[in-house]
């Protein structure tokens, strides 16, 4: 309601701006004229002459010129006497009273959204939405605001980082962990947390960046479980299953019996140490996923394929990996991508004739030797 | 409520502008003072409403109200406050709103301070002003509305283009717009004069302050933009002849010509028709600039064709105003009274030469800007016209102009004595030649033209000094008299002196920078030392820092000269997560008028970093020149006295100085 009241007030002000001069009837006549300008110019010449800026003959010539213009202006101006025309004034007043509001409404109504109230950030943060997630977001926003003002508050970044990670805002979590390291100093734990966030941001792939962080953490504390676990995972993703198994075995050997992460490592170890084939993206996996519902299956397959593609982009030496990727694309029926991947693969291993041979053979088997 | 009130205020401004477009015109025809005075109050009310609308948009940006599409697309809650504000005009919609706000501001100023204008002239001027305003309000409301809303506001905005998150952006566009839009006033005056069919020296006196204000702001705006490109884009270049820059240079050239021809008109009642034409052309070029920058036609003709609503709308406005005003000019110009006569060699003649050179230079730039576009449209052939073209065309024209600059102010009105002026300028010419010789002997490197160009710059400055010495009678008269005369000299004369000297100074800066600039491009590891122009720059190391909405990698350089440590320079690269973009923050070290400039490239795998280091001798002169020119403009503006050009009587043989 207030909005319409404000609109009405503004409209009245606009109408008033048109009506006011009409009502005053042009009483104040303080206007300039050419005559005034020329008269001022004549005075100016006297000043200049007195100040010695121009000489007498020149001043005389200028005076003659200006006087001539003054006379001409004077005669033309006297012809223009003001008149007043009531009919047109009334028309203008009606235009302002009726036309202006109508026009404003005609333009505003189709364009504006008068039903929408303002949503400034400060108001939204005070918690208007329902549910836990909303209030957590609000808390995060508040901490972020605090940190914007005090960017060197290491404790704040420490608190914020894991929350962001849990909310799935991995890129921001990475930033927060970096800041935490900058302002709190380095520790194995923080380094491996940062690595985990980087890996999470890359969809679970232990990228080179992430691996660097885990290696730093490992250097700071050789027994840091998270660093060890992820270094193992990195080895597994690089196809070095034995290395992975060794790392995880050593980790389990040193681990306290009640460590909560024991089952996870054991499961991982079983995955590589059991001697079984790498499950990811084998034909069986894709076949098995057929039992899932359509959406889940697609999402799963796509995420796996993407992860593999990301990893290969960083480390292209893995011929088996490339063949798996090409096969996966073929199974998914995406022949163009399969072809693209095989081209990438050839480029990646082009410097190594042995690998290139393996790759070409494998591609031939898949029916893609063009 | 703020968003909607701002929106409605803009709509009301349009309605008022429409009334202001016609009612005062009818009033002027009927000679009814009340109807004519409607122009004044509506112009002020328009200013009020557009101002409110602009303030509303600023408030929305500051409070991060992402329910407004424009705020969502161009802001971020973590952005520092100043960039929340400058982000308002860092995007298309907001900058157009700023454009009309400034238009309304000028209209409001004419309404508020135009008491010395004849009533009918003021009514006409404000009406024409309202035509322009109406067209642009419609443009904003229909094609680029900054107040459109999003029903379900997102939690975070998309951030402003990082390149624009810079203090330069806070200043540059408003200045430039004050310049562009300021010329709308002289345009309106010209159209009003054509409608009324009356034009005289008084007209020029009324237009003068508005043209000057626009010119001052445009000068500063261009200089600011050039400096911003210099330090923000990371290439150390300060002028690229790209269409956006040309778009601001063309109105400046035409505006400078207008400034000079209006002078002739005010003082001598001559060149009247030409001045009117220049007023029209200057504003037309401003409109063209707005069109080029705002329609997307520059990025690619094809991009423009993809979303043509905006471009076509501005093109329509352009055709309407340029075509309309030129037709009006063609129809009415013959009915205007011709003004005073003058001999070819006279102050008037010199100013005609100035106008000729400036307009030809402007035409050259126009050709260089539009030709590639025309080729792309007609022949589907992409090309760019760059520095080589302008070096061959624009530069010689300007050299000629500069050569003529010292002569102008020394010639007498109506009939001048070229030989006498040449004699008096002999000292300046000698000074220029001496400098040429010194520079030649000293450097031996670089272009052979460089010493000549520097000599030209010195000649311009020495010419200014000669003129001042002549007028004040320094060395000729007792010192007290000189002082008295200097004080008595009109401030506009001092303004001319400063503006012309600024030209010379800028020229020297340009030549020095382009000829003797040295650069060092390499990949550096920590503790590496680069040697540039006698400076040693040691890379101490790289560190990471967290900014409010970006992360930055800072490289720290120890600068020393001859083993003596001078300073620390910290160039950086900022990466902005929201837009996924990065910017280069160059580090500048000023030594006198010269600068050291470091900008960072990419980090290699081995932890080394690509670095570009420049030493730019006398580079700051390039911007001090325009600042001096603008200062001259301010001096001239502050001179409220009337300008009279006393003619030199035909028979008088005595050698007297011309009056200002």
């Amino acid at each position: 309601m207030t909005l319409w009241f404000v609109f009405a007030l503004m409209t009245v002000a606009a109408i008033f701006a048109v009506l006011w001069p009409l009502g005053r009837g042009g009483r104040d006549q303080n206007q300039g004229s050419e005559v005034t300008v020329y008269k001022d110019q004549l005075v100016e010449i006297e000043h200049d002459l007195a100040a010695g800026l121009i000489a007498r003959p020149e001043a005389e010539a200028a005076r003659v010129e200006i006087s001539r213009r003054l006379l001409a202006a004077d005669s033309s101006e006297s012809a223009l006497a003001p008149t007043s025309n009531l009919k047109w004034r009334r028309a203008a007043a009606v235009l302002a009273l009726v036309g202006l509001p109508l026009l404003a409404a005609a333009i505003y109504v189709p364009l504006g959204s008068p039903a929408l109230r303002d949503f400034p950030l400060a108001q939204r943060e005070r918690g208007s939405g329902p549910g836990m997630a909303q209030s957590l977001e609000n808390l995060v926003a508040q901490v972020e605001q605090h940190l914007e003002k005090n960017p060197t508050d290491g404790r704040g970044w420490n608190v914020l980082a894991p929350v962001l990670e849990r909310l799935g805002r991995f890129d921001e979590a990475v930033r927060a962990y970096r800041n935490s390291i900058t302002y709190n100093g380095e520790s194995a734990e923080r380094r491996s947390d940062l690595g985990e966030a980087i890996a999470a941001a890359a969809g679970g792939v232990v990228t080179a960046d992430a691996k660097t962080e885990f290696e730093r953490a490992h250097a700071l504390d050789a027994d840091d479980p998270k660093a060890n676990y992820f270094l193992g995972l990195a080895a597994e993703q690089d196809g070095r299953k034995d290395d992975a198994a060794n790392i995880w075995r050593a980790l389990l050997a040193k681990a306290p019996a009640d460590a909560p992460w024991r089952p996870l490592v054991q499961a991982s170890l079983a995955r590589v140490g059991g001697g079984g084939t790498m499950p990811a993206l084998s034909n069986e996996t894709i076949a098995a996923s057929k039992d899932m519902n359509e959406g889940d299956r697609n999402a799963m397959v796509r995420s796996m394929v993407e992860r593999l593609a990301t990893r290969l982009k960083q480390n292209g030496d893995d011929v088996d990996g490339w063949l798996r990727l090409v096969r996966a694309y073929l199974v998914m029926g995406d022949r163009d991508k399969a072809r693209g991947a095989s081209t990438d693969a050839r480029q990646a291993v082009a410097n190594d004739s042995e690998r290139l041979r393996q790759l070409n053979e494998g591609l031939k088997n898949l029916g893609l030797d063009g | 409520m703020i968003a909607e009130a701002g929106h409605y205020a803009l709509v009301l401004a349009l309605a008022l502008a429409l009334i202001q477009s016609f009612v005062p015109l009818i009033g002027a025809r009927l000679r009814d003072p009340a109807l004519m005075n409607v122009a004044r109050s509506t112009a002020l009310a328009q200013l009020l409403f557009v101002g409110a609308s602009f303030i509303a948009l600023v408030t929305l940006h500051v409070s991060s109200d992402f329910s407004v599409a424009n705020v969502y697309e161009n802001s971020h809650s973590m952005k520092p406050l100043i960039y929340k504000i400058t982000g308002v005009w860092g995007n298309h919609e907001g900058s157009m709103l700023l454009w009309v706000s400034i238009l309304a501001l000028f209209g409001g100023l004419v309404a508020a301070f135009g008491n010395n204008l004849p009533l009918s002239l003021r009514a006409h001027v404000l009406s024409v002003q309202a035509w322009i305003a109406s067209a642009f309000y419609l443009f904003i409301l229909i094609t680029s509305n900054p107040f459109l809303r999003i029903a379900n506001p997102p939690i975070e905005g998309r951030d402003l283009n990082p390149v624009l998150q810079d203090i330069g952006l806070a200043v540059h566009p408003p200045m430039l717009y004050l310049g562009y839009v300021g010329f709308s006033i002289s345009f309106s005056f010209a159209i009003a004069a054509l409608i009324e069919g009356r034009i005289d020296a008084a007209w020029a006196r009324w237009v003068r302050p508005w043209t000057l204000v626009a010119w001052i702001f445009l000068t500063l705006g261009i200089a600011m933009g050039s400096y911003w490109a210099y330090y923000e884009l990371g290439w150390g270049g300060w002028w690229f002849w790209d269409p956006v820059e040309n778009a601001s240079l063309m109105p400046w050239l035409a505006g400078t010509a207008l400034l000079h021809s209006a002078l002739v008109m005010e003082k001598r009642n001559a060149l009247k028709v030409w001045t009117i034409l220049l007023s029209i052309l200057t504003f037309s070029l401003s409109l063209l600039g707005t069109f080029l920058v705002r329609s997307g036609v520059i990025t690619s003709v094809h991009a423009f064709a993809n979303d043509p609503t905006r471009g076509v709308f501005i093109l329509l406005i352009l055709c309407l105003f340029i075509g309309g005003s030129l037709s009006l000019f063609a129809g009415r110009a013959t009915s205007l009274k011709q003004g005073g006569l003058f001999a070819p060699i006279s102050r008037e003649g010199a100013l005609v030469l100035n106008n000729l050179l400036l307009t030809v230079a402007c035409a050259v730039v126009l050709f260089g800007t539009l030709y590639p576009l025309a080729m792309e449209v007609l022949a589907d052939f992409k090309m760019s016209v760059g520095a080589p073209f302008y070096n061959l065309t624009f530069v010689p024209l300007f050299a000629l102009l500069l050569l003529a600059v010292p002569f102008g102010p020394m010639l007498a009105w109506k009939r001048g004595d070229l030989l006498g002026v040449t004699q008096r300028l002999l000292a300046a010419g000698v000074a220029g030649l001496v400098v040429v010789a010194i520079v030649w002997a000293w450097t031996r490197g670089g272009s052979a033209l460089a010493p000549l160009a520097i000599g030209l710059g010195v000649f311009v400055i020495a010419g200014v000094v000669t003129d001042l010495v002549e007028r004040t009678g320094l060395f000729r008269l007792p010192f007290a008299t000189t002082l008295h005369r200097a004080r008595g000299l009109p401030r506009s004369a001092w303004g001319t002196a400063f503006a012309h000297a600024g030209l010379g100074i800028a020229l020297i800066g340009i030549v020095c920078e382009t000829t003797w600039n040295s650069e060092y491009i390499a990949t550096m590891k920590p503790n590496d030392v680069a040697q540039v122009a006698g400076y040693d720059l040691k890379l101490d190391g790289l560190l990471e820092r967290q900014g409010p909405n970006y992360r930055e990698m800072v490289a720290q350089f120890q600068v020393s000269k001859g083993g003596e440590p001078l300073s620390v320079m910290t160039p950086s690269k900022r990466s902005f997560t929201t837009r996924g973009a990065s910017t280069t923050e160059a580090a500048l070290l000023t030594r006198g008028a010269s600068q050291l400039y470091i900008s960072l490239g990419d980090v290699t795998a081995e932890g080394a970093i690509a670095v570009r280091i420049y030493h730019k001798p006398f580079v700051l002169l390039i911007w001090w020149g325009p600042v001096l020119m603008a200062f001259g403009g301010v001096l001239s503006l502050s001179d409220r006295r009337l300008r009279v050009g006393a003619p030199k009587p035909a028979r008088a043989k005595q050698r007297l100085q011309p009056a200002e």
Side-chain angles (χ1 to χ4, degrees):
Chain A
M1 217 58 241
T2 31
L3 183 68
W4 295 108
F5 181 67
V6 170
F7 281 7
L9 222 58
M10 287 162 76
T11 317
V12 168
I15 294 171
F16 179 71
V18 183
L19 292 186
W20 188 56
L22 293 176
R24 284 168 57 100
R27 256 170 289 154
D28 60 333
Q29 289 293 319
N30 60 338
Q31 55 163 318
S33 67
E34 283 179 67
V35 176
T36 344
V37 172
Y38 294 133
K39 279 184 183 153
D40 287 350
Q41 279 193 337
L42 283 175
V43 176
E44 200 61 41
I45 292 178
E46 296 308 320
H47 278 306
D48 282 356
L49 188 63
L53 285 166
I54 49 175
R56 188 158 294 281
E58 283 167 349
E60 207 50 57
R63 214 177 280 146
V64 170
E65 276 190 3
I66 294 167
S67 307
R68 215 178 290 142
R69 283 179 221 153
L70 180 62
L71 283 175
D74 206 25
S75 62
S76 72
E77 249 170 44
S78 54
L80 301 168
T83 60
S84 71
N85 192 316
L86 268 182
K87 198 178 73 186
W88 280 96
R89 284 189 196 178
R90 287 217 187 93
V94 170
L95 186 68
L97 279 167
V98 183
L100 192 139
L102 277 183
L103 183 73
I107 296 173
Y108 175 75
V109 167
L111 290 174
S113 331
L116 276 183
R117 60 189 181 87
D118 285 352
F119 293 93
L121 193 68
Q123 215 172 62
R124 271 180 290 150
E125 274 162 9
R126 239 174 277 132
S128 46
M132 179 64 197
Q134 180 66 32
S135 64
L136 188 60
E137 295 260 339
N138 283 337
L139 283 175
V140 169
Q142 272 166 22
V143 176
E144 277 174 338
Q145 236 172 28
H146 162 78
L147 286 170
E148 184 184 342
K149 283 172 206 136
N150 315 291
T152 56
D153 179 2
R155 217 167 54 95
W157 290 115
N158 236 359
V159 173
L160 182 63
V163 181
L164 287 174
E165 199 174 347
R166 209 165 308 142
L167 286 173
R169 290 157 67 177
F170 299 120
D171 285 329
E172 287 160 83
V174 169
R175 200 185 65 170
Y177 277 124
R178 281 226 163 88
N179 285 325
S180 165
I181 290 170
T182 314
Y183 301 118
N184 292 322
E186 210 177 29
S187 77
E189 204 179 322
R190 287 192 192 114
R191 282 285 173 198
S192 50
D193 283 344
L194 171 58
E196 188 183 9
I198 298 175
V205 178
V206 183
T207 60
D209 278 352
K211 201 171 160 196
T212 318
E213 297 302 332
F214 292 125
E215 274 161 358
R216 279 189 199 154
H218 186 73
L220 289 168
D221 175 8
D223 289 339
D224 184 62
K226 195 179 264 179
N228 279 313
Y229 168 72
F230 274 98
L231 285 173
L233 194 63
E236 185 198 347
Q237 287 177 353
D238 286 348
R240 296 178 285 115
K241 284 175 200 152
D242 292 345
D243 289 355
N246 286 340
I247 294 171
W248 282 333
R249 234 174 256 130
L251 180 58
L252 284 174
K254 283 187 200 162
D258 57 347
W261 38 264
R262 248 189 123 92
L264 173 71
V265 180
Q266 276 163 343
S268 307
L269 185 58
R271 197 168 64 223
V272 294
T277 51
M278 172 90 172
L281 295 175
S282 64
N283 283 340
E284 298 89 89
T285 319
I286 294 170
S289 68
K290 291 221 163 90
D291 298 338
M292 297 170 152
N293 73 46
E294 187 74 9
D296 282 354
R297 190 185 64 211
N298 282 347
M300 175 189 131
V301 173
R302 204 164 298 127
S303 80
M304 284 168 132
V305 174
E306 260 164 32
R307 223 176 297 159
L308 183 60
T310 317
R311 183 166 68 75
L312 287 170
K313 214 170 274 168
Q314 292 186 337
N315 175 14
D317 290 346
D318 182 1
V319 174
D320 283 344
W322 281 114
L323 290 175
R324 269 206 305 279
L325 183 66
V326 173
R327 191 165 56 216
Y329 281 139
L330 287 176
V331 171
M332 283 155 71
D334 198 340
R335 241 188 136 69
D336 284 342
K337 272 198 172 160
R339 228 177 267 282
S342 57
T343 318
D344 287 348
R346 284 207 182 95
Q347 264 167 12
V349 299
N351 294 330
D352 190 328
S353 57
E354 173 60 22
R355 285 212 174 98
L356 188 60
R357 197 186 53 74
Q358 282 176 12
L359 181 75
N360 281 334
E361 220 153 77
L363 289 176
K364 205 176 278 174
N365 289 340
L366 289 171
L368 253 189
D369 46 3
Chain B
M1 196 176 86
I2 294 174
E4 295 307 316
H7 197 168
Y8 188 67
L10 195 60
V11 173
L12 276 180
L14 168 65
L16 281 170
L18 285 173
I19 289 181
Q20 189 189 330
S21 300
F22 299 107
V23 173
L25 272 189
I26 297 166
R29 180 99 333 163
L30 301 171
R31 291 205 303 281
D32 181 330
L35 287 174
M36 285 195 268
N37 267 333
V38 168
R40 192 177 195 188
S41 58
T42 44
L44 289 170
Q46 219 194 99
L47 172 62
L48 182 79
F49 284 118
V50 181
S53 176
F54 186 74
I55 289 168
L57 190 63
V58 172
T59 316
L60 293 170
H61 269 264
V62 168
S63 67
S64 295
D65 188 334
F66 298 126
S67 69
V68 177
N70 181 258
V71 181
Y72 161 68
E73 275 158 20
N74 299 291
S75 195
H76 189 277
S77 60
M78 310 269 275
K79 208 161 65 166
L81 179 65
I82 170 139
Y83 299 137
K84 280 183 182 167
I85 297 173
T86 64
V88 173
W89 55 82
N91 61 79
H92 171 77
E93 290 83 0
S95 78
M96 286 318 298
L97 189 60
L98 178 67
W99 206 98
V100 290
S101 304
I102 292 174
L103 191 69
L105 176 69
F106 275 105
L109 287 177
V110 171
F113 300 108
N115 285 331
N116 57 350
L117 298 178
L119 205 54
S120 68
L121 181 64
R122 189 171 71 196
H124 277 121
V125 167
L126 288 175
S127 273
V128 177
Q129 198 73 9
W131 300 346
I132 306 168
S134 310
F136 277 91
Y137 290 139
L138 270 178
F139 172 69
I140 291 178
L141 285 168
I142 294 173
T143 70
S144 344
N145 195 328
F147 292 107
L148 294 182
R149 307 290 296 274
I150 303 175
N152 295 307
I155 192 89
E156 193 50 272
R158 296 228 302 254
D159 210 354
L160 179 67
N161 183 352
V163 176
L164 302 180
Q165 294 190 25
D166 182 271
I167 195 72
L169 181 84
V171 192
H172 166 60
M175 290 257 186
L176 208 58
Y177 283 4
L178 279 167
Y180 273 180
V181 180
F183 284 122
S184 73
I185 296 285
S186 44
F187 173 82
S188 300
F189 267 96
I191 300 295
L194 286 173
I195 296 175
E196 289 200 322
R198 268 181 342 131
I199 183 158
D200 40 52
W203 182 91
R205 191 255 169 278
W206 292 314
V207 180
R208 184 206 335 139
W210 305 104
T211 319
L212 253 179
V213 168
W215 182 85
I216 291 168
F217 280 115
L218 194 57
T219 308
L220 288 176
I222 293 175
M224 189 68 230
S226 146
Y227 190 63
W228 173 78
Y230 167 72
Y231 73 74
E232 178 70 18
L233 299 185
W235 287 101
W238 44 270
W239 192 262
F240 301 90
W241 291 110
D242 80 32
V244 179
E245 288 170 320
N246 291 349
S248 64
L249 184 63
M250 287 186 288
W252 186 84
L253 292 169
T256 311
L258 172 63
L259 211 59
H260 288 91
S261 79
L263 195 78
V264 177
M265 184 165 160
E266 180 180 353
K267 289 189 171 179
R268 301 288 312 138
N269 208 20
L271 296 186
K272 293 198 285 196
V273 178
W274 172 241
T275 305
I276 294 277
L277 181 63
L278 266 183
S279 303
I280 293 174
L281 288 182
T282 305
F283 185 61
S284 300
L285 288 166
S286 298
L287 282 180
L288 181 74
T290 310
F291 166 70
L292 286 177
V293 176
R294 285 286 142 230
S295 65
V297 75
I298 281 170
T299 15
S300 164
V301 172
H302 306 297
F304 166 62
N306 286 340
D307 178 23
T309 30
R310 280 179 186 170
V312 169
F313 204 116
I314 309 189
L315 203 59
L316 220 66
I317 296 180
L318 207 64
C319 292
L320 200 72
F321 280 99
I322 300 180
S325 54
L326 288 180
S327 335
L328 186 65
F329 177 77
R332 298 298 296 262
T334 43
S335 68
L336 294 174
K337 269 183 291 177
Q338 282 298 326
L341 301 170
F342 52 87
I345 292 179
S346 61
R347 183 97 68 101
E348 291 96 322
L351 287 164
V352 169
L353 180 68
N354 147 303
N355 272 230
L356 210 63
L357 289 169
L358 280 171
T359 34
V360 174
C362 182
V364 162
V365 178
L366 184 67
F367 176 78
T369 313
L370 293 186
Y371 183 67
L373 287 175
M375 286 307 278
E376 201 182 335
V377 173
L378 299 176
D380 203 21
F381 161 67
K382 230 177 156 50
M383 64 176 293
S384 65
V385 171
F389 168 77
Y390 295 102
N391 284 346
L392 279 176
T393 52
F394 185 83
V395 170
L397 280 169
F398 235 75
L400 213 59
L401 178 65
L402 287 170
L403 210 54
V405 159
F407 289 91
M410 299 183 79
L411 281 167
W413 291 105
K414 202 157 181 183
R415 35 186 92 74
D417 175 8
L418 191 60
L419 195 67
V421 172
T422 316
Q423 280 168 354
R424 280 182 285 160
L425 276 174
L426 211 58
V430 169
L433 286 176
V434 166
V435 170
V436 171
I438 291 174
V439 175
W440 209 302
W442 198 359
T443 59
R444 291 171 183 284
S447 157
L449 285 174
L452 286 177
I454 291 180
L456 182 59
V458 171
F459 173 61
V460 170
I461 299 169
V464 167
V465 175
T466 314
D467 187 31
L468 286 177
V469 167
E470 287 259 333
R471 286 184 189 217
T472 55
L474 188 67
F475 308 129
R476 237 177 344 109
L477 299 170
F479 189 67
T481 322
T482 304
L483 213 61
H484 179 72
R485 280 189 155 208
R487 217 174 289 136
L489 214 55
R491 256 174 297 178
S492 62
W494 287 104
T496 310
F498 277 110
H500 287 178
L503 211 53
I505 285 171
L507 174 71
I508 294 176
I510 290 169
V511 174
C512 290
E513 196 277 333
T514 41
T515 316
W516 293 291
N517 131 47
S518 45
E519 64 178 21
Y520 173 94
I521 301 178
T523 319
M524 291 178 79
K525 289 200 178 100
N527 294 326
D528 280 359
V529 178
Q531 280 168 334
V532 182
Y535 293 93
D536 295 320
L537 296 104
K538 182 162 148 278
L539 176 60
D540 279 349
L542 303 171
L543 57 132
E544 299 233 331
R545 259 200 317 231
Q546 178 67 45
N549 52 346
Y550 57 83
R551 202 147 59 82
E552 73 176 341
M553 189 188 54
V554 184
Q556 195 169 325
F557 285 87
Q558 287 283 353
V559 185
S560 55
K561 187 168 194 176
E564 195 183 320
L566 284 176
S567 173
V568 175
M569 290 174 78
T570 51
S572 69
K573 261 181 100 82
R574 294 182 178 167
S575 51
F576 292 74
T577 36
T578 316
R579 287 243 173 178
S582 60
T583 63
T584 319
E585 299 294 312
L588 300 170
L589 177 65
T590 306
R591 304 268 298 157
S594 311
Q595 280 193 325
L596 269 176
Y597 182 111
I598 309 181
S599 100
L600 299 181
D602 292 325
V603 181
T604 63
E606 297 86 46
I609 185 156
V611 177
R612 286 193 301 276
I613 304 174
Y614 304 91
H615 177 255
K616 299 193 167 277
F618 297 107
V619 67
L620 285 179
L621 294 186
I622 298 175
W623 300 291
W624 287 353
V627 168
L628 210 59
M629 284 154 84
F631 176 68
V634 172
L635 274 184
S636 182
L637 185 66
S638 71
D639 188 354
R640 307 264 310 145
R641 304 194 311 174
L642 291 131
R643 313 285 163 85
V644 186
K648 196 176 169 68
R651 272 153 302 171
K653 282 277 179 264
Q654 59 267 71
R655 283 270 285 281
L656 289 157
Q657 306 132 44
E660 168 46 38

